[in-house]
Amino acid sequence: MSSTDPKTLLPPSLAARVSALTIKNGRAIAVVDAAGLGAKDRGDIERAISDTLGQREDVSETRVVLTAERKQRRLIAVGSGKGGVGKSTLTANLAVALAKLGHKVGLVDADVYGPSQPVIFGNQGQKPVARDEKLVPVDSDIGIPVLSMGHLVEPGRALAWRGPMAGNALSQLIDAHWDDVDTLLVDLPPGTGDVQLTMLQRFKPMGAVLVSTPQDLALIDAARAGQLFDQAGVPIIGLVENMAGYACPHCGEMSDPFGKGGVETAAQRLDLPFLGRIPLDLAIREGSDKGTLPAAGDDLLAQPFHDIAAKIHSWIGAQS
Ligand SMILES: Nc1ncnc2c1ncn2[C@@H]1O[C@H](COP(=O)(O)OP(=O)(O)OP(=O)(O)O)[C@@H](O)[C@H]1O
């Protein structure tokens, strides 16, 4: 095979992008560095090279190989102002619902202080292996690869790590072999500490979802978490109200143990989109405890998760 200097055959603007060019038996192969180019520019370059080389007598077929063509992996962070509001439950169900919408989803459980995703996905006790000094995510029956601190440390062992150490551990979870995953959901630790800020700055998620219960205190904390995302320059996709409205399993009567509509009102006040509300339902808790996720189904329980995922899906679409 004979290598050719691209500059001798292509105009300078195209040649600058070509890292290797060979012509043999009428077949030209051009390797193009497509890093940082959008789909349209990549298409334009591919066509221009094919057209230019195709005019040569010694070329009957041109192949253009675009490198760095890897899909850009987007990170979506799920945060809350305080613990226990259902952030992990929401993240796991959104992962399943977004996968149903065609995304290749992976999940990082960055909640170093209370990792719960291994239980939710039923893959606790499995240890991720390392390849080339990077972790390989742990598979789950439902098809979502997951990496959690809970996979790395003994269950129940409290992690009294300080900021930088926790930050480095989290980097390993995110900078892992996610392969064809295009959408990585990150279940952040609750609150607005250094770990969260470091994370947001280091990995710059495409957007963030905030979850809160309708309780006043949770709402105040959620607003504070919103400021943290603002500070880090991460757009907030919207707010979710969890544990809204309780249907009595005996008589079906609805009650609102944590109040009603508080998150939607807060979203209006903060000028943020409201993505939807998830009812307080025993089946959601039971499902999480035994590794069956409501969003995997298509019944009433699954519906709110699918509706919220659809809004996130549209938001993602509007960014590209
Ligand atoms: N809508 C709901 N209905 C019933 N139970 C729920 C609901 N959402 C969450 N739960 C339950 O509430 C508990 C706390 O939820 P979860 O672990 O998702 O919260 P969290 O905000 O991630 O908490 P932490 O940050 O402390 O891990 C779990 O037992 C979960 O199953």
Side-chain angles (χ1 to χ4, degrees):
M1 188 160 303
S2 57
S3 290
T4 310
D5 183 352
K7 287 199 277 297
T8 59
L9 303 186
L10 294 167
S13 60
L14 287 179
R17 280 275 173 189
V18 177
S19 53
L21 177 61
T22 54
I23 297 177
K24 192 187 175 192
N25 299 336
R27 195 175 195 214
I29 300 179
V31 180
V32 176
D33 175 10
L37 293 179
K40 183 183 176 304
D41 288 340
R42 284 205 299 266
D44 287 348
I45 286 194
E46 195 172 356
R47 247 185 322 277
I49 292 174
S50 294
D51 289 348
T52 310
L53 295 177
Q55 285 166 9
R56 294 178 57 84
E57 276 191 7
D58 57 343
V59 173
S60 54
E61 184 199 346
T62 304
R63 277 195 56 200
V64 178
V65 181
L66 298 166
T67 60
E69 212 180 352
R70 206 159 36 108
K71 258 190 247 162
Q72 198 67 34
R73 184 168 304 130
R74 63 182 80 86
L75 259 63
I76 305 285
V78 182
S80 66
K82 63 196 280 285
V85 298
K87 174 179 47 58
S88 304
T89 307
L90 177 72
T91 313
N93 281 284
L94 285 182
V96 173
L98 283 167
K100 283 192 169 201
L101 289 171
H103 296 271
K104 292 240 177 265
V105 185
L107 196 153
V108 164
D109 182 2
D111 194 344
V112 272
Y113 306 111
S116 41
Q117 297 298 354
V119 172
I120 296 178
F121 280 92
N123 57 14
Q124 71 271 39
Q126 291 189 40
K127 294 268 171 258
V129 294
R131 186 170 19 101
D132 308 326
E133 299 186 0
K134 283 187 180 186
L135 293 172
V136 178
V138 177
D139 280 334
S140 61
D141 286 346
I142 209 157
I144 306 284
V146 183
L147 268 181
S148 165
M149 287 313 293
H151 289 128
L152 299 177
V153 295
E154 294 302 314
R157 226 181 85 188
L159 278 174
W161 287 355
R162 294 190 189 279
M165 199 168 159
N168 288 338
L170 297 178
S171 301
Q172 284 191 36
L173 302 185
I174 292 178
D175 192 15
H177 286 289
W178 288 103
D179 296 347
D180 63 345
V181 163
D182 57 32
T183 306
L184 197 55
L185 296 191
V186 184
D187 180 3
L188 283 176
T192 54
D194 282 350
V195 177
Q196 290 85 338
L197 191 58
T198 313
M199 272 277 304
L200 295 178
Q201 285 170 340
R202 199 180 290 177
F203 294 102
K204 198 73 196 283
M206 183 189 212
V209 173
L210 270 172
V211 53
S212 176
T213 61
Q215 279 168 301
D216 287 347
L217 279 177
L219 277 168
I220 293 167
D221 287 332
R224 225 173 267 146
Q227 285 167 0
L228 175 87
F229 289 114
D230 267 353
Q231 235 177 307
V234 174
I236 297 174
I237 305 173
L239 266 68
V240 171
E241 181 169 278
N242 188 30
M243 306 193 193
Y246 175 69
C248 170
H250 304 295
C251 67
E253 195 194 334
M254 292 295 290
S255 55
D256 298 295
F258 298 129
K260 194 183 177 193
V263 180
E264 187 166 12
T265 312
Q268 279 166 5
R269 200 179 59 240
L270 299 167
D271 202 17
L272 292 170
F274 178 66
L275 298 178
R277 55 174 60 93
I278 318 261
L280 178 69
D281 195 313
L282 191 60
I284 295 182
R285 191 183 66 71
E286 286 174 346
S288 298
D289 289 347
K290 58 177 199 279
T292 47
L293 289 150
D298 50 15
D299 53 7
L300 268 181
L301 207 57
Q303 199 54 49
F305 296 110
H306 291 303
D307 291 347
I308 294 169
K311 289 186 183 161
I312 297 173
H313 175 70
S314 307
W315 184 89
I316 291 172
Q319 310 304 303
S320 34

